[in-house]
Amino acid sequence: PAAGMDVRDPPGLYRTLLSIQHPASLVRKRARSMEKKPMTDKAVSESASTLPRGTLILVGTPIGNLGDLSRRVIEVLAQVDLIAAEDTRRTRQLLSYLGLHQPLTSYHEHNQASKGLELIEKLRSGQSIALVSGAGMPCISDPGGRLVAECVAADLPVLVIPGPSAAVTALAGSGLETERYAFEGFLPADRKARKARLLELQKELRTMVLYEAPHRLKKTLQELIGLGFGDRLVALGRELTKKHEEFLRGTVQGLADYYETNEPRGEFVIVLEGLTALARRLPDHATVTGGLGQAGCQSDGTADAAALLKQLLGQGLSVKEAAREAAAQTGSKKNELYALAIQIQENEPGES
């Protein structure tokens, strides 16, 4: 390990709750056991020393807790010729923790076009290359999908070493239906594309899984309320597998109310009730019966509130101020008016 680094808790990397045997010793112990025992065909196939040449190996790494490192991951990282990493600094810390010194190269969304060609040539020359993301599984809301497609097109083998996934971890602990689900990752940053995606999700029958950053969580919950998701059940997985991991469960409206007085901290996974489950739980809900107030189909009350909000915004009030004033005048919920004000502002001519 680097000088001054505590191998149990690398600074700036993962925080582990478990006291575990130093992983580098696992590699050495496995090697000694292979020297003592005759190698069967099965043992040969499982041994990291027989990694297939010219193969891209997708390696899942911990999403927060180093105790989730598998022995297979450690052995593969110890044997590959090169590791392509989304974040070389973070991966170098992980390798230092493991006592490994494999060569590193960067592979991320900004260089994947040029670096992909370079990696393909290395694979063709017979090198084995591990691809790792900052945390979790490569290709899942992380770079890698393009490189896998390029390998497939070039008839190069791809091997997957499974590891932790924030999406599946949150889904399993959500308490919502898990038999069918749709993974959406991060919503688009562009306003129009984001709204279009949320409108699609209104009609999604399955449980939905999304990623969200803490600074955008409150706005996302308000946007969901504005599109009729307020009564949907939702589970928020926060800081999964880390020291401060927690699940917050309730309705979208209820959790939006909670975060009015509590600042979101840490990375979030949103697990959202789908239309099928909502229909069984609330068969007369407006979203189920098709009566959801959308543009051109608003109830009289919603239309009056929209007109008032448009007037207040036109007077120079901020979205928050307009929602507060409209709530005082109409008695409607401030959160719903805030979400409606955001929609009005986004749809105004000249807004992007």
Side-chain angles (χ1 to χ4, degrees):
M5 177 176 286
D6 183 349
V7 296
R8 294 168 301 173
D9 193 10
L13 184 61
Y14 312 100
R15 304 296 180 188
T16 178
L17 303 180
L18 304 178
S19 175
I20 60 173
Q21 183 180 16
H22 193 292
S25 66
L26 299 178
V27 179
R28 294 192 293 269
K29 186 177 291 186
R30 180 66 177 266
R32 288 196 297 270
S33 68
M34 289 177 179
E35 291 173 359
K36 296 177 181 178
K37 298 178 182 179
M39 295 289 286
T40 64
D41 289 343
K42 182 178 180 181
V44 170
S45 66
E46 292 179 346
S47 170
S49 63
T50 58
L51 283 180
R53 312 307 300 168
T55 299
L56 177 68
I57 308 171
L58 309 180
V59 179
T61 55
I63 59 174
N65 193 318
L66 281 171
D68 295 331
L69 271 169
S70 73
R71 179 172 299 190
R72 189 179 180 203
V73 165
I74 297 168
E75 291 178 337
V76 167
L77 292 178
Q79 294 293 327
V80 292
D81 300 303
L82 178 67
I83 299 174
E86 179 188 14
D87 184 340
T88 54
R89 180 192 60 82
R90 190 168 187 174
T91 301
R92 188 172 289 110
Q93 289 180 318
L94 177 60
L95 294 178
S96 178
Y97 172 79
L98 297 174
L100 302 177
H101 305 282
Q102 259 55 23
L104 276 176
T105 189
S106 65
Y107 181 85
H108 47 74
E109 62 176 333
H110 302 297
N111 74 350
Q112 58 184 344
S114 58
K115 185 55 68 77
L117 297 175
E118 179 183 324
L119 295 177
I120 290 293
E121 288 306 309
K122 290 181 182 297
L123 290 166
R124 282 178 171 150
S125 72
Q127 291 191 34
S128 57
I129 300 176
L131 178 67
V132 300
S133 64
M137 285 299 299
C139 309
I140 309 301
S141 279
D142 274 316
R146 176 171 179 162
L147 183 58
V148 171
E150 290 169 346
C151 286
V152 171
D155 201 25
L156 291 167
V158 177
L159 179 65
V160 180
I161 310 298
S165 166
V168 175
T169 301
L171 178 67
S174 68
L176 301 179
E177 291 194 3
T178 59
E179 291 185 1
R180 301 182 66 208
Y181 67 95
F183 175 65
E184 290 291 328
F186 288 98
L187 292 170
D190 177 77
R191 284 182 176 182
K192 291 182 179 178
R194 186 180 178 88
K195 184 176 181 181
R197 179 72 59 82
L198 289 172
L199 286 171
E200 289 178 16
L201 296 184
Q202 276 185 336
K203 306 176 184 67
E204 176 57 61
L205 300 178
R206 301 164 291 180
T207 301
M208 292 155 275
V209 183
L210 303 91
Y211 290 160
E212 193 53 277
H215 67 280
R216 293 193 62 92
L217 180 69
K218 290 199 283 190
K219 181 177 180 181
T220 296
L221 292 174
Q222 297 296 347
E223 289 173 330
L224 288 169
I225 291 169
L227 291 172
F229 286 85
D231 295 322
R232 300 271 190 122
L233 295 179
V234 65
L236 300 181
R238 186 181 79 86
E239 292 288 271
L240 295 176
T241 79
K242 300 178 185 177
K243 183 176 181 179
H244 299 292
E245 171 184 333
E246 68 175 342
F247 278 89
L248 294 92
R249 302 177 181 88
T251 63
V252 173
Q253 180 68 63
L255 291 184
D257 291 342
Y258 172 79
Y259 280 114
E260 279 290 304
T261 54
N262 296 272
E263 195 64 27
R265 298 183 184 277
E267 298 300 316
F268 286 84
V269 182
I270 302 173
V271 185
L272 188 61
E273 182 179 41
L275 198 57
T276 298
L278 177 68
R280 282 198 296 266
R281 190 171 61 86
L282 299 173
D284 296 327
H285 194 274
T287 311
V288 176
T289 60
L292 181 66
Q294 299 180 24
C297 303
Q298 295 174 329
S299 65
D300 290 341
T302 303
D304 291 342
L308 176 58
L309 285 168
K310 191 169 184 179
Q311 178 184 355
L312 294 170
L313 291 169
Q315 294 172 1
L317 274 67
S318 69
V319 168
K320 189 173 183 179
E321 292 168 339
R324 186 189 301 117
E325 179 62 27
Q329 293 188 33
T330 65
S332 299
K333 291 183 179 179
K334 186 174 69 173
N335 282 333
E336 294 178 355
L337 293 171
Y338 181 87
L340 183 57
I342 290 175
Q343 290 185 56
I344 292 170
Q345 190 178 63
E346 291 176 349
N347 290 329
E348 282 296 300
E351 293 287 337
S352 58

